[in-house]
Amino acid sequence: MEFVTYEVDGAVGIITINRPKALNALNSTVLEELNEAFDGVDLNVVRCLILTGAGEKSFVAGADIGEMSNLTKAEGEAFGKKGNDVFRKIETFPIPVIAAVNGFALGGGCEISMSCDIRLCSDNAVFGQPEVGLGITPGFGGTQRLARLVSPGMAKQLIYTARNIKAAEAYRIGLVNAVCSEVKDEEGNVVKSAQEALMEAAVKMAKGIAAQAPIAVRNCKKAINEGLQVDMDQAIVIEEKLFGDCFETEDQKAGMGNFLEKDKEKKLKVVPFKNC
Ligand code: CAA
């Protein structure tokens, strides 16, 4: 592939959008290659994915403005569908996807990060939906996912004003789960850049997820995603079915067996949450 790379480290897969000269902007080829990359993930091996961008400046600076500039109404709609189809594939992908946001996440960049399950970012990240400044609406799910993820009021403010926000603000409004900064030693020397800290945190989180019972993790993703689309009465039925589906699996027998046998090594541990 020209603009997307895929590597596997044990049970963790890393998909990288690799078009740094255009700040990883999403043109049709990038979208098609992303689709191909997700289709190529071997779900018998990989249990958690990380999606990131190449370079230290940008995760994804949006949909490709050059490609969009001369589209007709019908072509614009088709381009929106092209992005939406890929992003929906990411959102409903059977295993969790962590966005490691290493810089600009604007327009389609913010939108693709929101189609992932979890967002971590470096402290140089900038989020925003600048589309109205370009004379268009967000077109890859931004009007829908931002309102659901933060709040309708905050989403409307960001979208109507086209104002970009920094990592700290994105963290404050709940758009990202954690912000990673450079790490210095006692003498003040940088021992880890923010980008390195970000990837380290993403891989650590992905490995932590991959170490859990895989059917249970997949069912949790499905239950949360599908439950959010319906009312509570229907949502709890979705949960009941997916909960029941875990029983009689090897993981359920082993997981509960470890507890009952008082195997302290394998018992769940409480790990304090901290920003990276
Ligand atoms: N589309 C196409 N090319 C882009 C791009 C985009 N979204 N964003 C950046 N690039 C290209 C620039 O054209 C430039 O290419 P050249 O070197 O060939 O000129 C290269 O990437 C580097 O960009 P800049 O020189 O602009 O870098 P900068 O550091 O000065 O600015 C930036 C960085 C603030 C992110 C600026 O590039 C920018 O504002 N980009 C556009 C952001 C944007 O509006 N995104 C939303 C797009 S619309 C959308 O996504 C619709 C949707 O919902 C589907």
Side-chain angles (χ1 to χ4, degrees):
M1 286 190 269
E2 193 183 352
F3 296 129
V4 175
T5 63
Y6 177 51
E7 56 191 296
V8 177
D9 173 10
V12 174
I14 304 178
I15 294 177
T16 305
I17 300 169
N18 187 17
R19 198 191 169 205
K21 282 190 185 146
L23 304 185
N24 302 322
L26 303 170
N27 61 15
S28 290
T29 309
V30 177
L31 291 171
E32 281 153 20
E33 291 186 0
L34 268 173
N35 197 42
E36 212 180 301
F38 276 88
D39 282 347
V41 173
D42 183 350
L43 292 169
N44 293 314
V45 175
V46 176
R47 293 183 179 182
C48 189
L49 284 171
I50 297 169
L51 178 68
T52 193
E56 302 216 325
K57 188 172 170 183
S58 180
F59 171 65
V60 170
D64 192 297
I65 298 170
E67 183 173 338
M68 287 186 295
S69 59
N70 290 316
L71 297 184
T72 62
K73 284 182 195 292
E75 287 165 345
E77 190 176 333
F79 188 62
K81 177 163 168 42
K82 192 170 202 147
N84 276 334
D85 286 350
V86 182
F87 290 17
R88 190 74 180 126
K89 176 173 282 186
I90 298 172
E91 188 167 48
T92 58
F93 206 64
I95 57 174
V97 184
I98 299 170
V101 180
N102 54 308
F104 293 115
L106 301 174
C110 185
E111 290 168 308
I112 197 170
S113 81
M114 292 191 291
S115 71
C116 298
D117 295 272
I118 292 164
R119 282 148 296 286
L120 307 178
C121 73
S122 49
D123 57 11
N124 68 333
V126 176
F127 292 81
Q129 299 288 162
E131 285 88 346
V132 294
L134 295 165
I136 56 173
T137 65
F140 291 165
T143 57
Q144 303 310 309
R145 293 196 181 91
L146 191 57
R148 285 167 169 78
L149 201 53
V150 292
S151 68
M154 186 57 79
K156 285 175 176 174
Q157 181 180 327
L158 288 171
I159 290 172
Y160 299 167
T161 63
R163 186 174 70 92
N164 297 334
I165 54 170
K166 291 185 177 172
E169 175 74 348
Y171 179 67
R172 192 187 69 78
I173 65 172
L175 183 54
V176 293
N177 292 38
V179 181
C180 300
S181 301
E182 65 182 16
V183 179
K184 291 183 178 165
D185 64 15
E186 281 165 10
E187 277 95 53
N189 304 310
V190 177
V191 290
K192 211 181 286 170
S193 70
Q195 311 287 323
E196 288 167 337
L198 168 66
M199 281 316 285
E200 208 172 271
V203 169
K204 189 174 170 200
M205 183 181 281
K207 286 188 173 166
I209 292 169
Q212 306 305 319
I215 295 170
V217 171
R218 286 182 187 212
N219 284 9
C220 288
K221 173 165 178 169
K222 221 168 182 290
I224 295 168
N225 279 357
E226 291 181 10
L228 281 171
Q229 308 308 318
V230 296
D231 68 36
M232 187 57 88
D233 287 325
Q234 295 175 67
I236 51 172
V237 173
I238 291 172
E239 187 187 77
E240 282 158 18
K241 287 204 185 328
L242 289 160
F243 174 66
D245 191 41
C246 295
F247 287 82
E248 300 179 52
T249 62
E250 272 181 46
D251 287 337
Q252 178 258 331
K253 289 188 190 310
M256 293 192 179
N258 290 336
F259 178 83
L260 294 172
E261 283 160 23
K262 308 218 178 298
D263 184 337
K264 289 216 166 61
E265 278 298 299
K266 291 177 184 157
K267 257 189 164 178
L268 292 178
K269 293 185 183 71
V270 176
V271 182
F273 176 82
K274 60 177 171 55
N275 230 336
C276 55

